[in-house]
Amino acid sequence: MVANPSLVLNKIDDISFETYEAPEITESTDVIVEVKKTGICGSDIHYYAHGKIGHFVLTKPMVLGHESSGIVTQVGKGVTSLKVGDKVAIEPGIPSRFSDAYKSGHYNLCPHMSFAATPNSTEGEPNPPGTLCKYFKSPEDFLVKLPDHVSLELGAMVEPLTVGVHASRLGSVKFGDIVAVFGAGPVGLLTAAVAKSFGAAAVIVIDIFDNKLQMAKDIGAATHTFNSKTGGDYKALIAAFDGQEPNVVLECTGAEPCINTGVNILAQGGRFVQVGNAPGPVKFPITEFATKELTLFGSFRYGYGDYKTAVSILDANYKNGKDKAPIDFEALITHRFDFKDAIKAYDLVRAGSGAVKCIISGPE
């Protein structure tokens, strides 16, 4: 037996280190990845603190982690795009290959999705394995090779970056667009960075914390920022944006005031993409929405081509070296931990101690 050290969420407030048997290749297209870097996501913390997100309820132990990169250690005999030693980013959600959602090109909406570190409600079935372990098995087509100049740490950020890619693609963000992003957490900052990479002429990031807004500017993701707690109403927001009404809003908070403000600041015929999850129903300015002929998109995870696009963004961003990179994605990594201290890492992020993106190395 090959040991597979793993970090396991047993129940609310209970995380432990466990050792399982490492996965083995069973299909010709299987790939075994030795995980090297894993980011902590807000959903991980939600399960840790509350045991559920919507209808995903933790009822049995679950290996944590879904934002990971690593090194290929084994490949099935049918694998052609990867070889042992390649650096890869792991796309952590595998749909049913037989679902209508998969066949129609919307596999992120597959009702039978097996998504890493997301509880499985099927009685008697184990939860899908998370990626915070030494060895992780994936189909070849859900791994994306990383360019030489994109580090494994950046590879672990591909998953949340891809959320921003999916949102920008849904909102058809293109060269010259004027974009407003609500929320300066990790997803909001990365979403703003994607909009900028897609060619947006101006990107304003809105939040209630000045230090987060400063980071949005410092990393090169935002051309403008606005503190919605101290800065005033939506008219003041537009004034802070040099009088520009955005034609795209990417809402990454799920907060009712932000949703309402987003509709109010959008230009006529604009596009509104809802990325953040709300805790429940929200009041929505439907008359304003209708009279402006706005378009609303829901955004859930990511779909076909989004992972490769995210890696391409990092590739282009760092092709001339870190010093000449237009966006400093690495600056979002504010905390680093070894695997042996992974529980401490989760507790730090849960405590809200100022971590933007926390990366765990290993297990070695």
Side-chain angles (χ1 to χ4, degrees):
M1 174 182 126
V2 177
N4 195 23
S6 306
L7 188 70
V8 177
L9 175 62
N10 299 295
K11 57 185 179 181
I12 295 174
D13 299 331
D14 183 0
I15 295 178
S16 63
F17 294 102
E18 306 291 342
T19 300
Y20 299 121
E21 187 172 354
E24 297 180 347
I25 289 176
T26 56
E27 302 289 340
S28 64
T29 53
D30 283 346
V31 176
I32 304 297
V33 178
E34 184 174 347
V35 177
K36 294 297 185 181
K37 303 291 180 180
T38 301
I40 295 179
C41 176
S43 65
D44 295 336
I45 301 302
H46 214 79
Y47 287 125
Y48 185 21
H50 306 291
K52 63 179 181 178
I53 298 177
H55 62 276
F56 297 107
V57 181
L58 184 73
T59 59
K60 42 191 175 281
M62 175 179 75
V63 177
L64 287 163
H66 63 267
E67 299 180 2
S68 290
S69 64
I71 305 292
V72 172
T73 58
Q74 296 181 59
V75 297
K77 61 183 181 181
V79 173
T80 59
S81 64
L82 296 170
K83 65 183 185 302
V84 172
D86 283 344
K87 297 187 303 180
V88 293
I90 301 170
E91 182 171 349
I94 311 300
S96 165
R97 307 291 187 161
F98 304 101
S99 70
D100 288 341
Y102 176 79
K103 292 175 181 178
S104 67
H106 303 90
Y107 66 79
N108 57 315
L109 304 180
C110 175
H112 309 292
M113 174 74 75
S114 176
F115 197 89
T118 299
N120 183 346
S121 60
T122 304
E123 186 67 29
E125 292 292 323
N127 286 318
T131 59
L132 197 40
C133 53
K134 186 167 186 178
Y135 298 107
F136 185 81
K137 181 169 74 171
S138 172
E140 172 187 15
D141 55 331
F142 281 81
L143 298 172
V144 180
K145 186 177 177 180
L146 296 173
D148 291 340
H149 52 271
V150 174
S151 69
L152 285 164
E153 281 194 338
L154 288 170
M157 292 177 62
V158 170
E159 197 275 344
L161 180 63
T162 305
V163 173
V165 168
H166 191 63
S168 283
R169 291 178 74 176
L170 284 169
S172 300
V173 176
K174 59 187 182 301
F175 187 83
D177 277 341
I178 309 299
V179 179
V181 177
F182 284 83
V187 169
L189 291 170
L190 289 169
T191 297
V194 170
K196 193 85 174 295
S197 300
F198 274 26
V203 177
I204 188 168
V205 174
I206 301 102
D207 203 282
I208 60 173
F209 295 105
D210 287 332
N211 61 326
K212 292 183 177 182
L213 294 171
Q214 187 61 48
M215 175 170 276
K217 278 194 171 181
D218 289 345
I219 69 170
T223 58
H224 299 70
T225 60
F226 183 78
N227 189 314
S228 56
K229 186 176 183 179
T230 61
D233 62 10
Y234 68 89
K235 293 180 181 179
L237 195 164
I238 292 173
F241 206 11
D242 300 332
Q244 302 174 104
E245 291 183 327
N247 64 315
V248 180
V249 163
L250 306 173
E251 207 296 301
C252 300
T253 72
E256 185 177 300
C258 293
I259 294 169
N260 279 266
T261 300
V263 172
N264 278 304
I265 65 172
L266 256 178
Q268 290 185 349
R271 307 181 293 278
F272 188 109
V273 183
Q274 188 59 45
V275 185
N277 289 322
V282 299
K283 293 181 179 179
F284 188 82
I286 195 67
T287 301
E288 183 79 5
F289 186 86
T291 55
K292 285 184 175 181
E293 287 199 355
L294 306 181
T295 304
L296 173 66
F297 297 90
S299 184
F300 184 61
R301 293 176 179 157
Y302 28 76
Y304 177 72
D306 292 337
Y307 240 75
K308 289 183 178 179
T309 300
V311 172
S312 295
I313 287 173
L314 294 174
D315 187 14
N317 191 72
Y318 287 99
K319 66 180 180 181
N320 295 319
K322 181 179 177 179
D323 293 342
K324 295 182 180 179
I327 298 172
D328 188 1
F329 289 98
E330 290 183 336
L332 296 178
I333 304 172
T334 54
H335 295 76
R336 295 171 172 87
F337 287 84
D338 291 331
F339 180 74
K340 64 182 176 63
D341 296 318
I343 297 176
K344 294 179 182 177
Y346 271 81
D347 287 338
L348 176 126
V349 176
R350 180 178 176 177
S353 303
V356 178
K357 183 52 65 177
C358 178
I359 299 288
I360 297 169
S361 296
E364 296 298 334

